Amino acid sequence: MTTGWDAVPALEAWTVHEITGQACPCCHCIYSLAREKVTGPGGRHTCRPCTVLLGVCTEAEAAR
């Protein structure tokens, strides 16, 4: 099983909402206050719950 940012689907497989940064490419949910957008390397992004499930640290957590 792939973990970390490598587990996020390839950019070529994203939907329009995911390409425009409005939805999570992992769970396909629209970003909201409950599903905060977390950006990663190479233009990848996920929602906070998927970030936790993937086991990746955010830029803010890495700075601690």
Side-chain angles (χ1 to χ4, degrees):
M1 181 177 151
T2 305
T3 58
W5 287 108
D6 293 334
V8 176
L11 301 175
E12 296 83 23
W14 288 9
T15 65
V16 172
H17 289 297
E18 294 158 0
I19 292 169
T20 58
Q22 298 173 359
C24 176
C26 294
C27 66
H28 311 290
C29 292
I30 301 295
Y31 294 125
S32 65
L33 290 175
R35 291 196 171 272
E36 176 187 4
K37 180 179 178 180
V38 177
T39 56
R44 294 178 181 213
H45 54 86
T46 63
C47 63
R48 172 94 36 210
C50 286
T51 303
V52 171
L53 290 173
L54 294 174
V56 296
C57 66
T58 64
E59 294 172 3
E61 292 167 344
R64 288 187 206 166

